[in-house]
Amino acid sequence: MLVLLPPSEGKAASGRGAPLKPEGLSLPGLAGARATVLDELVELCAADEEKAREVLGLSEGLRGEIAKNAGLRTAGARPAGEIYTGVLYDALDLASLDAAAKKRAARSLLVFSGLWGAVRVTDRIPSYRCSMGVKLPGIGALGSYWKAPMAEVLPEAAGDGLVLDLRSAAYAAAWKPKGELAERTAGVRVLHAPTRKVVSHFNKATKGRIVRSLLQSGAAPAGPAELVDALRRLGYTVEVEEPAKPGRAWNLDVLVDEIH
């Protein structure tokens, strides 16, 4: 099972660990694309703070993020699972998983990123600010930039098992499974049952809980139908929209009664 996650806008501090070693990151096929984005982001933030703030879409209160980006090559690095924070990651709570569940997380979780493309939660990265919606002056829109390298690398990473896609729209645009792989992919929406509406906060929190439940249980669904069965056994209410045509992903709605 491969689980595709969005990053978080807010991130923990880099800390005092050893700096980034790009060659140590997972998915080495993305190395060239990562280097190109990193070079441009660092140069932009080191050269022109005001332009960088405009490009990155940062408020005045987030101006300090520019200096952080300028120092990415020398900043301390920590496992990505510690860097990413926010509602989904708080609910996932990787640090409190038992040893077996942590091994499953290291194997199956893949976090998408405007800067790195995608990383494992065990990959050591510095804290940064660069969303997939950014348009860098030399590269252009990152969502478009990452499509080609992702298409080369991610099918192999997905293997022959289930792909559980929990990304937000901006990050989903960077890679869309196709063909037979799409048929093994399931996207999930979390809906407030009484209103049938998505509410951002508990959508993210519930997705974090879903991933945590799967990791703790040791469930290894082979495909979308088996995922539905596994989630129902774990106590989730799931409605299924099976694809109307071959080569399409499944869409699952998880219904939640309470917003919390």
Side-chain angles (χ1 to χ4, degrees):
M1 177 175 67
L2 185 68
V3 182
L4 311 180
L5 297 174
S8 57
E9 286 299 316
K11 298 174 183 68
S14 292
R16 303 190 179 203
L20 171 72
K21 294 182 178 180
E23 68 278 7
L25 297 178
S26 301
L27 306 177
L30 298 178
R34 287 171 177 151
T36 299
V37 179
L38 180 62
D39 286 348
E40 181 163 352
L41 181 63
V42 169
E43 182 178 348
L44 170 69
C45 291
D48 190 333
E49 186 174 289
E50 201 55 45
K51 182 178 180 180
R53 189 165 76 88
E54 179 182 346
V55 168
L56 297 174
L58 300 178
S59 67
E60 181 64 34
L62 292 173
R63 186 179 286 271
E65 300 290 285
I66 299 167
K68 180 195 294 185
N69 283 348
L72 282 171
R73 290 196 180 88
T74 56
R78 297 168 60 187
E82 298 176 13
I83 290 290
Y84 294 115
T85 58
V87 175
L88 187 154
Y89 292 91
D90 286 348
L92 173 53
D93 195 7
L94 287 167
S96 70
L97 292 172
D98 63 37
K102 284 180 179 176
K103 287 182 180 179
R104 295 183 197 107
R107 203 166 48 236
S108 62
L109 304 188
L110 200 62
V111 184
F112 275 59
S113 162
L115 174 54
W116 313 114
V119 291
R120 303 281 186 186
V121 292
T122 50
D123 285 338
R124 299 181 64 85
I125 59 173
S127 185
Y128 67 96
R129 192 78 176 216
C130 184
S131 73
M132 193 66 81
V134 163
K135 294 182 179 180
L136 291 174
I139 292 174
L142 290 175
S144 297
Y145 171 80
W146 281 112
K147 285 181 180 180
M150 292 288 199
E152 289 289 326
V153 171
L154 290 192
E156 181 178 353
D160 57 4
L162 169 73
V163 176
L164 174 54
D165 191 352
L166 302 178
R167 297 172 295 167
S168 54
Y171 292 90
W175 180 61
K176 294 183 179 180
K178 295 180 179 179
E180 184 270 337
L181 180 53
E183 295 173 6
R184 293 188 274 114
T185 299
V188 172
R189 294 189 307 174
V190 180
L191 303 181
H192 184 214
T195 63
R196 283 301 201 275
K197 291 182 179 179
V198 175
V199 179
S200 178
H201 178 89
F202 82 90
N203 172 57
K204 294 175 183 177
T206 302
K207 286 180 177 178
R209 294 187 192 104
I210 285 171
V211 177
R212 183 178 178 86
S213 297
L214 291 169
L215 293 172
Q216 286 183 310
S217 71
E226 292 82 1
L227 173 64
V228 173
D229 291 341
L231 291 177
R232 286 173 175 165
R233 286 196 300 271
L234 290 167
Y236 293 95
T237 300
V238 184
E239 294 182 349
V240 185
E241 180 185 339
E242 295 186 26
K245 298 180 180 180
R248 302 283 180 87
W250 290 46
N251 294 309
L252 311 183
D253 287 339
V254 174
L255 306 182
V256 180
D257 290 323
E258 297 181 3
I259 299 176
H260 56 87

